[in-house]
Amino acid sequence: MQLHGQVALITGAGRGIGKAIALRFAREGADVAVVDLNGEWAQTTAIEVTALGRRAFARTTDVSDYDQVQATVREAVAALGRLDILVNNAGIGKAQPFLQITKENWERHLHVHLFGSFYCAQAAAREMAQRHYGRIINIASVAGLMGPIDLAPYGVAKAGIIGLTRAAALDLADYGITVNAIAPGPIDTELLRTWPEEALRERAQHLPIARLGRVEEIAHAALFLASPESGFINGTVLVVDGGSVAAGAYMVEKYRRRKAAS
Ligand SMILES: NC(=O)c1ccc[n+]([C@@H]2O[C@H](COP(=O)([O-])OP(=O)(O)OC[C@H]3O[C@@H](n4cnc5c(N)ncnc54)[C@H](O)[C@@H]3O)[C@@H](O)[C@H]2O)c1
């Protein structure tokens, strides 16, 4: 019970990685504020948190909307009494070749990932600062560390999240708050299953650990960073990717094939 008596707010916790983090934190004794654009999914996760014996608060929120985020954090604290942990996990991913990127796709990625992470981090930190304790965990991506193909808005937003992590870590240290990022490699979720099956198989084969990651493996990393014992870890990026960054193996085959075809 590493998080006994604590309260965590997790964005995008209606499904996928965020849901796995919510349930893992609940098993470790945390009450959980489940925030998602999809209210039904948020409710379902909240019911599962409650079934684990913890308190839950569910809220439909678009993290890219500043006012909604302020209200959600305020209401979550009113409902659960405090806020110890924030996981900025909500995200989208829509591939577009560079010359075809639309203004809407570019702006939506930056608004949801980067602006949303800032809005949530600032609102949460204002609560955490009052008790001089907090853990903020931003879900970045290996796409923020290596140039992704046909995913420029996504990669740029994730690189921005890594910059936000470092800046906030410095600015919030005086308030007892640590800020770290996790950079997952490909994780088997609905988001990734929008890829063609062959592309997914190929992506998995590029990893030294030749398989996709599991949501529970990101939840495990989030728990590590969220635990009270991790107080000296600050402003860092924990890469959880089966070794793909170490191998420099991000989409190399796809790149070669595109070159060959041109
Ligand atoms: N799956 C992967 O391979 C992978 C790899 C690296 C990073 N990530 C990141 O992990 C996070 C979770 O991804 P996932 O694979 O679980 O995706 P997912 O699509 O399964 O889940 C994302 C959740 O975020 C919610 N969401 C989307 N936009 C939102 C918004 N504006 N406000 C509130 N909630 C919103 C969705 O409703 C959904 O429940 C994302 O930030 C993603 O970029 C995923």
Side-chain angles (χ1 to χ4, degrees):
M1 285 280 187
Q2 292 186 55
L3 305 179
H4 183 69
Q6 297 202 10
V7 174
L9 187 150
I10 301 159
T11 69
R15 72 176 195 185
I17 292 170
K19 179 171 184 161
I21 294 172
L23 298 180
R24 183 70 205 271
F25 282 14
R27 279 191 200 96
E28 294 292 334
D31 295 334
V32 184
V34 180
V35 172
D36 204 287
L37 191 57
N38 186 311
E40 274 179 36
W41 297 348
Q43 277 296 346
T44 304
T45 302
I47 289 166
E48 291 179 41
V49 166
T50 310
L52 290 167
R54 308 310 316 173
R55 292 184 305 155
F57 165 86
R59 182 70 144 80
T60 310
T61 305
D62 182 342
V63 295
S64 72
D65 183 312
Y66 182 86
D67 293 334
Q68 283 188 38
V69 168
Q70 307 308 307
T72 294
V73 171
R74 207 171 41 241
E75 286 171 26
V77 172
L80 300 176
R82 55 196 266 181
L83 185 57
D84 304 283
I85 304 162
L86 165 71
V87 183
N88 271 321
N89 164 82
I92 53 171
K94 180 174 165 55
Q96 276 181 337
F98 198 89
L99 298 184
Q100 273 103 59
I101 294 169
T102 59
K103 180 172 176 286
E104 289 70 28
N105 196 29
W106 175 261
E107 290 180 354
R108 188 66 185 152
H109 275 80
L110 291 182
H111 285 146
V112 172
H113 287 279
L114 188 54
F115 291 32
S117 294
F118 168 69
Y119 298 158
C120 293
Q122 189 191 48
R126 285 175 174 158
E127 293 294 336
M128 293 167 175
Q130 292 176 32
R131 295 180 47 256
H132 205 80
Y133 180 87
R135 298 273 182 268
I136 296 177
I137 298 154
N138 297 322
I139 305 299
S141 168
V142 294
L145 296 168
M146 307 169 81
I149 287 183
D150 294 340
L151 280 168
Y154 183 82
V156 167
K158 292 301 193 182
I161 285 177
I162 291 170
L164 171 68
T165 300
R166 294 186 177 127
L170 300 193
D171 285 351
L172 297 177
D174 280 350
Y175 301 96
I177 302 166
T178 64
V179 188
N180 292 289
I182 296 172
I187 309 299
D188 189 8
T189 67
E190 298 296 329
L191 184 72
L192 210 68
R193 282 179 220 136
T194 57
W195 290 23
E197 211 170 297
E198 181 48 36
L200 270 184
R201 217 183 351 264
E202 186 176 76
R203 184 78 177 93
Q205 281 162 7
H206 290 158
L207 310 182
I209 296 176
R211 63 168 173 82
L212 300 177
R214 294 187 281 270
V215 290
E216 292 80 12
E217 290 170 314
I218 303 304
H220 176 68
L223 175 63
F224 168 67
L225 293 174
S227 92
E229 287 77 13
S230 295
F232 200 57
I233 305 173
N234 197 21
T236 196
V237 183
L238 178 56
V239 179
V240 184
D241 72 335
S244 75
V245 168
Y250 189 67
M251 288 186 163
V252 281
E253 289 307 324
K254 187 172 174 184
Y255 187 65
R256 268 195 216 113
R257 228 183 6 252
R258 199 166 73 177
K259 282 272 184 211
S262 65

